[in-house]
Amino acid sequence: MKDLRLTFEKIAWVANEYSSDYGGEVCLNIVLGNKTLKEVFSIKGDLREFVDWLIQNKNKMLHEEFPSSEGMEGDSIASNIFSFYENDLFENPKFEDQIFQYRKSHGIRFGLRGYDVDDVYIGLFNGQYEVSFCDENSSWKFEVDLNSFYKQILLDHGSLIISSNETNR
């Protein structure tokens, strides 16, 4: 089983009055053992924002299946979302809202607002946790151990979550 690994390296020049301890290079990779199979993203920014988004959406990522409808026959979350928008499957406004709400809690772009990252999704699809991407030129999908990923976040960044929650009060 492949793992998701979130890494952070503090960079002094990224620090500012709002993120003095949490500014740096933030990377999310898909790994097998010690080998990186895919770099999902690498940004210079504030780790807290992404970790907060991950924690806020943990239950949805772990338990919410992708909403499906006729015409959506892709083999991943990302391919179905791409197909939905590419093929104008907007006949049902309620379903369109479901797709948007799903994207908000599973789409990495929503966790990294303001950063130029690919339209990657994390979640449960056909009973398996996956990380996937799809656009007009390419697509990829990796089944991952999402429970292990969340345990890693708590171990590596648990104090960050606590201090960030205190800051947001």
Side-chain angles (χ1 to χ4, degrees):
M1 178 69 58
K2 293 156 196 83
D3 289 311
L4 268 177
R5 186 165 300 148
L6 181 65
T7 59
F8 172 72
E9 184 177 329
K10 187 175 178 180
I11 301 174
W13 62 268
V14 174
N16 62 39
E17 62 188 276
Y18 303 107
S19 61
S20 60
D21 291 333
Y22 309 110
E25 185 167 359
V26 183
C27 300
L28 184 64
N29 295 305
I30 299 168
V31 299
L32 183 59
N34 288 326
K35 182 178 181 188
T36 298
L37 303 176
K38 182 76 178 170
E39 181 180 88
V40 178
F41 71 80
S42 178
I43 63 163
K44 289 182 176 52
D46 189 333
L47 176 64
R48 291 179 297 187
E49 295 171 22
F50 187 61
V51 170
D52 282 349
W53 177 81
L54 286 169
I55 297 303
Q56 288 171 8
N57 293 293
K58 176 183 177 184
N59 287 333
K60 288 181 180 182
M61 285 190 195
L62 290 173
H63 304 291
E64 182 178 46
E65 281 275 358
F66 180 76
S68 62
S69 178
E70 265 187 60
M72 299 179 80
E73 300 171 2
D75 66 350
S76 71
I77 296 168
S79 65
N80 277 307
I81 290 174
F82 180 77
S83 171
F84 177 79
Y85 288 103
E86 190 70 14
N87 297 321
D88 287 333
L89 301 174
F90 298 105
E91 296 173 12
N92 180 342
K94 190 173 184 177
F95 185 67
E96 183 180 348
D97 187 53
Q98 280 182 310
I99 294 292
F100 180 74
Q101 293 304 320
Y102 186 89
R103 290 178 62 221
K104 279 180 32 180
S105 58
H106 297 267
I108 288 177
R109 281 186 173 172
F110 286 88
L112 294 169
R113 289 194 176 268
Y115 294 96
D116 184 18
V117 296
D118 287 336
D119 204 9
V120 175
Y121 296 90
I122 303 172
L124 188 59
F125 185 74
N126 290 335
Q128 299 291 322
Y129 295 121
E130 73 171 49
V131 179
S132 61
F133 166 79
C134 183
D135 70 9
E136 60 277 348
N137 298 316
S138 66
S139 66
W140 51 262
K141 169 187 166 179
F142 292 91
E143 291 181 357
V144 296
D145 184 346
L146 204 51
N147 285 303
S148 174
F149 175 64
Y150 274 103
K151 287 177 187 170
Q152 177 236 333
I153 288 174
L154 292 174
L155 286 173
D156 294 349
H157 308 293
S159 62
L160 171 68
I161 295 164
I162 294 165
S163 65
S164 182
N165 285 337
E166 290 171 357
T167 304
N168 292 332
R169 288 186 188 173

